[in-house]
Amino acid sequence: MKIIPLSEVTDIIKDDNTIAMAALSSANLPVELLKVLVDYYDEVRTPKNLTFMLANDISDYRGDGVDLDSFVTRNMVKRLITSIITASPATIRAMKENEIEAYYLPQGVLTTHYRNHTSASPGYLTRIGLNTNVDPRYRGGKVNQRTTEDLVSLVEVEQKPYLKYDFPNIDIALLRGTYADQDGNIYMTHEAHLGEGYSVALKAHNNGGKVIVQVKEVIQNGRFNPRDVFIPGKLVDYIVINENPKYHRQVMQNYYDPALAGRYRVPQIREPFLQLNARKVILRRAAQFLRLDDVVSIGFGINNELSNLLIEEQSGKLVQLNIDTGIFGGIVSSGQNFGMNYNLSAQMRHDQTWDFIYNGGLDVAYLSFAEVDEIGNVNVSKFGDKMNGCGGFIDISQTVKRIVFSGTMVAGGQLDFGHGKIEIHKEGHANKFVKKVGNIDFNAKYAQELGQMVYFVTERGVFELTEHGLKLIEVAAGLDVERDVLAHMDFKPIIAEDIKVTNPAIYHDKWGGLAQIIRSGKRI
C-alpha cells in the first residue's frame, strides 16, 4: 500500500480502462478521485474510452460535485454497465442517442459477480433474469443499437436453462472508506452505506488491476478492532487522503450525521407523516397484505414510503423492512430525506444482502410498476421517455414467494378522499394497464412456474395474478367498475364473481386499523 497525492492518480488510470465503483448516489462516492480525473481530462484529453461498472446510479444531486454525467458529457465514457440510472440526465440522453454503449443488468447479479466470477469459474451462472429483458432471447440487457456485444448467454445445465453473465475484468477499483490504517486496512466508520467495495477490490486485485481508496484520514494501527476492517490492506494499492470535505459527504444532505453511521438512535421520525392522497391510500391497502414478522423488501418509488406509514400506524415493529442496499429495520426515509435511514436493526454489505435475498431471506416484496399488461407482465425500466433500468427489481421478483405491486392505475388523475370513498375530479392522461408492455422486467408466466402469489394494488382496485391473467378482486369504495376501472384499461381483466369493496376506513385522515390486520394473520 502506498499513500499518494491526488496528482498521482492520473498516472495510474489509462485510456480504455474498465473502472468499477461501489457507491450509492453520493454515499461511498470517491468524488475527489473523480474530480481529479475530469480536471486532468480537461487539460490533456485523457483518460478516455472508459468502461464504468456500477451497481447503482452515482450522482451528487447538489450540482457542486462530480458524478457520472461529468464523465459522459466530456465523452470520456465508451461503455456503461449498470442496473439503474435515475439521477444522471446527461447519461440517459447519451444512451438514448446512441452516444455510448450501455447495459442494464440485474443489480444483485452485478453486485455479487465480482466474487462469484473468478479464474476458477466459467462465468457467472444463475437463473436470475430468465424470461426478462436481460435474457438474450429478448434484448440481453442491451440498452440501445450501439450496444452489440453479448454479455449474457443462455446455457443448459442438467436440462435446465441458466443465464451465463460474462463481465469484463476490472482494471481500476475506485473506492471510498472513512479511515485507512498504516497497513492500508480500510474502515467504514462514518459511512451510511456499506457497499460491495471488498468484492470490487478482490476482483481488481485478481486481475492485476489497481485499487485506489479515498479516505478522510490515515490512522495508527490498532486504533480500531481488527474485526472492523472492511477491506484488508493486502487488497489496497493506493490511499488518497481527502483534502476537501465537500467531496467526501456521507450522504447528499450531510457531511456527517453520526446517527446514519449507527452511532446513536434518533427519538422519532425526521419527516412528517404522509398526507391523505392516492399514494397513501394505495400504501394503506397494500400494507394489508403484510403478516406478522414478515421480512419485507421495499422497492423504490411509492413503496419507499411504506416505513412512514407503518410508523404512523404503530406497526413498524410488527414486520422488518429490508432495502437491498443492506438496510434492515429502522426508519427508512423518503422524499427529501431519501437515503437517510435511522435506528437500523442491522446493516450488511451490499453483496451480502443479495446473498440473504437469494437464499430465501425475504417473505414478501413490495414493488412498483410503470406498465402492466393483460398477461400480468410488468415493465419498470423503459417506458415513454424514461430509461431508468431494472435496479434490483428482477433479482427480487424472481426470488420471493409473495409480491405486492403498488402504483396508480392512471397517471395524472385528480382524486379526492372523503366520506369514506373516492371521488374522481379529473381523469389522468395515461393508462398504466396496457395491452402489451414495452419491456418485460417481470414475466407473469414464469412467476406462475415459480409458484409465486402476486397482487397489484392501485387507488381504484386490487388485482390478483392468475394462470389466465389478471383478475379484478376488489374495487375502491365510491367507484363504478365499468366507468372508473375498466374504461381506463387497454384490456378487460377477469372479474371475480365475489368482487369486494375496499374498506372505506382507509379514506379518512386517521385510520389506525393496520396493526390489528397484520396481527390477525389473514391475507386481506
Side-chain angles (χ1 to χ4, degrees):
M1 182 276 295
K2 182 180 180 182
I3 301 172
I4 62 172
L6 273 169
S7 58
E8 291 188 17
V9 171
T10 55
D11 297 330
I12 302 168
I13 301 173
K14 308 298 183 183
D15 290 354
D16 304 305
N17 275 177
T18 295
I19 298 174
M21 285 181 276
L24 171 64
S25 182
S26 57
N28 290 161
L29 187 62
V31 179
E32 200 144 32
L33 296 180
L34 300 181
K35 186 176 187 303
V36 73
L37 290 178
V38 297
D39 288 348
Y40 188 67
Y41 180 85
D42 288 343
E43 293 180 10
V44 300
R45 290 296 183 266
T46 189
K48 59 183 182 295
N49 294 327
L50 300 173
T51 293
F52 274 118
M53 291 188 62
L54 312 161
N56 284 293
D57 193 7
I58 58 171
S59 177
D60 70 344
Y61 283 92
R62 302 165 60 89
D64 60 356
V66 177
D67 56 17
L68 187 57
D69 278 355
S70 304
F71 285 81
V72 170
T73 54
R74 288 172 169 79
N75 298 316
M76 298 173 69
V77 178
K78 171 189 175 183
R79 174 184 287 184
L80 176 64
I81 303 172
T82 186
S83 73
I84 186 168
I85 299 288
T86 59
S88 301
T91 301
I92 293 174
R93 181 199 57 77
M95 291 191 296
K96 288 180 178 178
E97 298 182 10
N98 284 292
E99 294 176 0
I100 62 173
E101 300 173 26
Y103 300 83
Y104 277 144
L105 300 175
Q107 187 176 112
V109 172
L110 265 170
T111 306
T112 57
H113 94 273
Y114 293 110
R115 53 180 166 73
N116 288 335
H117 184 188
T118 70
S119 56
S121 63
Y124 185 12
L125 293 179
T126 177
R127 295 176 67 82
I128 299 297
L130 283 172
N131 305 302
T132 71
N133 181 58
V134 301
D135 189 316
R137 292 170 292 186
Y138 294 78
R139 291 195 181 99
K142 302 182 186 77
V143 171
N144 55 25
Q145 293 181 345
R146 180 166 181 162
T147 309
T148 58
E149 183 179 351
D150 292 326
L151 297 186
V152 190
S153 56
L154 184 70
V155 299
E156 190 173 279
V157 179
E158 296 181 350
Q159 299 181 329
K160 292 183 179 180
Y162 285 81
L163 296 183
K164 180 174 178 283
Y165 291 83
D166 289 295
F167 293 96
N169 287 320
I170 306 302
D171 300 305
I172 302 291
L174 291 184
L175 305 173
R176 193 181 96 180
T178 304
Y179 299 115
D181 66 19
Q182 294 164 313
D183 288 333
N185 297 312
I186 304 300
Y187 301 85
M188 306 292 278
T189 315
H190 291 176
E191 305 302 321
H193 170 59
L194 301 180
E196 63 275 19
Y198 165 73
S199 296
V200 173
L202 198 67
K203 181 70 172 177
H205 181 77
N206 186 49
N207 184 49
K210 300 301 180 183
V211 178
I212 310 172
V213 185
Q214 173 183 316
V215 299
K216 291 182 179 181
E217 184 183 349
V218 174
I219 60 173
Q220 289 185 340
N221 289 348
R223 180 171 168 183
F224 292 120
N225 190 318
R227 294 183 179 181
D228 293 336
V229 171
F230 188 75
I231 304 174
K234 293 299 182 182
L235 295 179
V236 178
D237 295 289
Y238 302 102
I239 298 292
V240 176
I241 301 173
N242 170 243
E243 297 177 354
N244 186 342
K246 173 182 175 181
Y247 302 129
H248 201 113
R249 304 183 71 86
Q250 184 189 44
V251 292
M252 62 181 175
Q253 303 93 335
N254 288 338
Y255 171 62
Y256 175 53
D257 180 346
L260 291 177
R263 296 299 175 187
Y264 69 86
R265 299 174 72 84
V266 300
Q268 60 186 12
I269 189 171
R270 293 191 173 183
E271 58 187 17
F273 292 134
L274 304 174
Q275 294 183 347
L276 184 62
N277 55 25
R279 292 173 71 88
K280 187 167 188 174
V281 166
I282 292 169
L283 285 171
R284 281 176 168 177
R285 180 61 191 89
Q288 295 177 53
F289 285 96
L290 290 171
R291 299 172 179 172
L292 187 65
D293 297 326
D294 270 348
V295 178
V296 186
S297 174
I298 56 172
F300 296 103
I302 184 174
N303 293 298
N304 189 240
E305 296 173 327
L306 183 60
S307 175
N308 186 303
L309 176 71
L310 289 171
I311 293 169
E312 180 183 7
E313 289 291 319
Q314 299 181 0
S315 303
K317 295 182 180 180
L318 301 181
V319 298
Q320 184 179 75
L321 301 183
N322 170 262
I323 302 179
D324 54 53
T325 54
I327 303 302
F328 290 82
I331 300 171
V332 180
S333 297
S334 59
Q336 293 183 345
N337 295 312
F338 176 74
M340 301 180 71
N341 305 312
Y342 298 95
N343 300 358
L344 307 182
S345 63
Q347 186 171 20
M348 298 172 67
R349 290 179 357 204
H350 191 196
D351 48 347
Q352 288 179 322
T353 309
W354 287 109
D355 294 338
F356 174 83
I357 292 170
Y358 287 164
N359 284 280
L362 300 175
D363 295 306
V364 59
Y366 276 66
L367 302 170
S368 300
F369 62 83
E371 291 180 332
V372 182
D373 66 21
E374 61 182 336
I375 299 173
N377 297 325
V378 177
N379 174 18
V380 296
S381 62
K382 192 174 181 181
F383 52 94
D385 62 348
K386 302 290 185 181
M387 191 182 283
N388 296 338
C390 56
F393 179 96
I394 293 174
D395 310 82
I396 293 170
S397 66
Q398 292 192 339
T399 53
V400 69
K401 288 300 182 184
R402 286 186 285 142
I403 303 174
V404 179
F405 289 108
S406 306
T408 56
M409 187 171 175
V410 183
Q414 294 181 10
L415 288 71
D416 274 354
F417 307 91
H419 310 293
K421 63 180 182 180
I422 294 179
E423 294 181 358
I424 300 174
H425 286 288
K426 183 179 180 182
E427 275 299 351
H429 54 76
N431 294 346
K432 292 187 178 182
F433 285 74
V434 298
K435 189 72 174 176
K436 184 177 181 180
V437 295
N439 197 73
I440 297 179
D441 297 300
F442 171 80
N443 188 303
K445 289 185 177 179
Y446 187 49
Q448 291 287 305
E449 292 179 24
L450 296 175
Q452 294 174 308
M453 293 183 289
V454 182
Y455 299 92
F456 296 82
V457 178
T458 76
E459 80 285 11
R460 303 186 187 214
V462 178
F463 299 84
E464 180 181 7
L465 179 64
T466 75
E467 61 180 335
H468 301 296
L470 292 189
K471 177 191 285 187
L472 180 64
I473 61 174
E474 182 178 301
V475 65
L479 298 188
D480 178 79
V481 172
E482 290 289 342
R483 182 192 66 223
D484 300 318
V485 179
L486 301 184
H488 303 284
M489 303 177 70
D490 295 349
F491 61 90
K492 185 174 181 179
I494 304 166
I495 309 296
E497 294 181 2
D498 57 343
I499 190 167
K500 296 179 174 60
V501 176
T502 303
N503 182 354
I506 69 171
Y507 305 126
H508 296 283
D509 282 329
K510 300 294 182 181
W511 178 31
L514 181 59
Q516 182 179 355
I517 291 172
I518 294 175
R519 288 192 179 98
S520 73
K522 297 179 181 178
R523 190 183 306 117
I524 305 299

